[in-house]
Amino acid sequence: MEKPSIQLFGEGTEDPIPLYEPSKGTKVRVIAGSIGDAKSPCKIAHSELLMLHVTMEVGQKLVLPLKENFSCLTYVRKGKISFPEEKMVETHQIAWYSNEGDEFTAENRGSEELDFLLLAGEKINEPVAMGGSFVMNSEWEIQRARADYMEGFFGSPWDHKISDEEW
């Protein structure tokens, strides 16, 4: 296993989070990876990935290039995201996006601003074990992570009762 590391960037640091604006009314903050001419200062990723914070005004459509071998997930923080297959994903829902081409397409057909996270990365072809909120490579690693959590090695629990505005 690799030693844990941390890199701080964004507001209040020497490395701001780059902003990509593909159209008026659509903003993409590039937390990891690169889109267009916006490249994240993130240096700790060990495989190619994208982590984007996207906001879109009503009526906007977003089409982003996405590599064929990427898996993709969206988490909607606010609003409703529409996909080409006429699927709608609402606030606090997660959608797995099947990438069968070379782009990610989403629209804001709702009545308010859309705010979502897009996480995409290359398939790493490793075994996956899941247990609760832990994702590792084996059941033994899941058990070890649970034990570490119970002993307080993951810090203090997050207060899930805070509002979206406070978050």
Side-chain angles (χ1 to χ4, degrees):
M1 273 194 155
E2 191 141 333
K3 288 183 100 176
S5 62
I6 186 169
Q7 177 190 355
L8 299 177
F9 55 93
E11 260 184 65
T13 71
E14 295 177 15
D15 297 312
I17 296 174
L19 182 65
Y20 172 63
E21 296 185 71
S23 64
K24 186 177 183 208
T26 299
K27 294 181 180 177
V28 180
R29 288 166 185 80
V30 184
I31 299 166
S34 62
I35 290 290
D37 58 355
K39 182 173 176 22
S40 168
C42 180
K43 296 173 180 70
I44 61 174
H46 298 284
S47 62
E48 193 172 354
L49 60 90
L50 282 176
M51 184 182 297
L52 309 174
H53 176 205
V54 180
T55 55
M56 297 169 61
E57 292 178 6
V58 174
Q60 292 295 306
K61 181 176 182 176
L62 175 67
V63 179
L64 294 174
L66 196 62
K67 295 193 175 184
E68 281 187 41
N69 64 334
F70 272 26
S71 294
C72 187
L73 176 126
T74 59
Y75 171 72
V76 180
R77 295 183 60 210
K78 179 182 169 190
K80 296 177 183 179
I81 187 172
S82 299
F83 293 108
E85 304 82 23
E86 301 302 318
K87 302 281 188 209
M88 178 98 52
V89 182
E90 299 185 19
T91 301
H92 300 302
Q93 290 183 335
I94 293 174
W96 183 263
Y97 189 82
S98 174
N99 184 22
E100 297 177 11
D102 57 358
E103 62 187 24
F104 170 87
T105 303
E107 258 183 278
N108 182 358
R109 293 189 213 143
S111 58
E112 64 180 328
E113 180 184 65
L114 172 61
D115 182 337
F116 68 96
L117 296 175
L118 171 66
L119 310 173
E122 64 183 342
K123 297 173 185 168
I124 57 175
N125 298 320
E126 290 185 11
V128 175
M130 296 179 287
S133 60
F134 299 107
V135 179
M136 306 296 270
N137 293 111
S138 69
E139 190 58 39
W140 178 86
E141 290 177 331
I142 294 289
Q143 292 170 4
R144 185 67 250 158
R146 277 194 186 118
D148 288 347
Y149 174 74
M150 296 305 284
E151 292 182 32
F153 292 125
F154 288 4
S156 58
W158 171 63
D159 183 1
H160 66 283
K161 296 176 183 153
I162 64 173
S163 70
D164 287 342
E165 289 74 28
E166 291 173 299
W167 187 63

